[in-house]
Amino acid sequence: MFEIAEELKKLPDQPGVYIMHDSRDAIIYIGKAVSLRKRVHQYFQASHDEGIKKAQMVKQIARFEYIITDSELEALVLECNLIKEHRPKYNTMLRDDKTYPYLKITLNEKYPRIVTTRRLIKDGSRYFGPYTSSTAMKETLNLLRKLFPLRTCKHLADRPCLEYHIKRCLAPCANYIDEDTYKDMVDGVCLFLEGKSEVVEQNLEKKMQMAAQNLDFEKAA
């Protein structure tokens, strides 16, 4: 028998995804957390106000399970994929927007961008989602841009813009990066959004190697 009070004690202080089941073992809610221990505990604290709809959902929880991830970003991607697969009742009821947001990779462009959208159209782009929370999607986008500095401008210019100078873009418009290298970076974003988080580790290793080669030892460390 699943004892919620006992299982709460076993929760790890690590990032991951939690999955709530009702008495029929149907999945009714999926969420992500920076700390599984802190987040899941909040649902069962009388003093914590989760709102009326979540309070109704908590009353139906018969058991929960969780999946530990290596990072918050990996948790965000996993949450998105699991929600898309299972379509839990309360993830739909608790959403703020009428339509789900997606992350879009503009593969139809010479140097693809990663943008947000609520429209799915056949334009040669790749779409990842849906995200039940626009906040979660923005967090994913911000983290990805730090790891994979794809261009953000809508139109290619002849010279680097501010994004290049603040190290948030590699200036493909000025030919500061070749097409093949840029394509590898785009492929890395796509693989990671498919749930293959080892791509991030490889990307970080490359950044460290490049920093070391440039004698930027402080950055490499």
Side-chain angles (χ1 to χ4, degrees):
M1 184 176 178
F2 191 91
E3 294 289 345
I4 288 180
E6 290 301 315
E7 295 301 321
L8 286 172
K9 298 177 183 178
K10 302 176 184 178
L11 286 165
D13 187 21
Q14 294 175 261
V17 171
Y18 54 91
I19 304 167
M20 306 298 196
H21 295 255
D22 65 13
S23 58
R24 295 175 297 175
D25 212 33
I27 296 175
I28 59 175
Y29 189 74
I30 296 172
K32 63 92 181 172
V34 177
S35 168
L36 287 164
R37 179 186 303 167
K38 294 177 182 177
R39 184 67 188 106
V40 178
H41 267 265
Q42 288 177 340
Y43 286 99
F44 302 97
Q45 293 174 351
S47 60
H48 190 78
D49 184 12
E50 289 282 353
I52 296 175
K53 288 185 178 180
K54 277 197 176 179
Q56 294 173 346
M57 183 266 290
V58 171
K59 292 179 181 178
Q60 298 181 39
I61 297 173
R63 75 177 184 90
F64 60 80
E65 58 182 317
Y66 58 87
I67 302 171
I68 298 172
T69 60
D70 292 329
S71 66
E72 181 184 4
L73 179 54
E74 186 178 345
L76 283 165
V77 175
L78 179 59
E79 176 198 36
C80 173
N81 290 337
L82 289 174
I83 289 172
K84 186 175 182 180
E85 178 182 354
H86 297 287
R87 300 285 181 176
K89 172 183 176 181
Y90 281 95
N91 284 97
T92 302
M93 290 179 64
L94 296 172
R95 71 186 184 189
D96 297 325
D97 306 296
K98 293 182 179 180
T99 56
Y100 286 121
Y102 290 80
L103 288 178
K104 174 181 177 179
I105 311 293
T106 59
L107 297 180
N108 56 329
E109 298 176 345
K110 182 178 181 179
Y111 293 105
R113 296 170 293 131
I114 179 169
V115 298
T116 62
T117 184
R118 293 183 184 276
R119 296 178 59 210
L120 294 176
I121 57 177
K122 294 182 179 180
D123 61 353
S125 299
R126 282 202 66 181
Y127 294 85
F128 295 91
Y131 288 82
T132 56
S133 165
S134 57
T135 300
M137 182 198 63
K138 289 176 182 177
E139 290 175 1
T140 303
L141 181 60
N142 288 337
L143 286 167
L144 278 173
R145 281 178 172 166
K146 290 178 182 178
L147 294 169
F148 302 95
L150 301 185
R151 74 183 183 95
T152 56
C153 51
K154 293 182 180 180
H155 305 288
L156 290 174
D158 295 327
R159 58 183 181 179
C161 63
L162 176 62
E163 292 292 301
Y164 169 77
H165 293 293
I166 61 176
K167 303 186 186 301
R168 289 176 56 177
C169 178
L170 298 176
C173 55
N175 296 317
Y176 284 17
I177 178 173
D178 63 85
E179 284 189 55
D180 289 338
T181 303
Y182 193 89
K183 182 180 181 300
D184 287 341
M185 188 164 59
V186 173
D187 290 342
V189 173
C190 292
L191 285 170
F192 184 77
L193 288 172
E194 290 171 3
K196 299 171 183 177
S197 59
E198 66 271 12
V199 178
V200 170
E201 295 179 10
Q202 295 170 3
N203 190 60
L204 290 173
E205 287 178 5
K206 287 181 180 179
K207 284 187 175 183
M208 291 178 69
Q209 289 171 1
M210 290 176 63
Q213 289 172 1
N214 293 329
L215 301 181
D216 192 349
F217 295 115
E218 182 179 352
K219 185 176 179 180

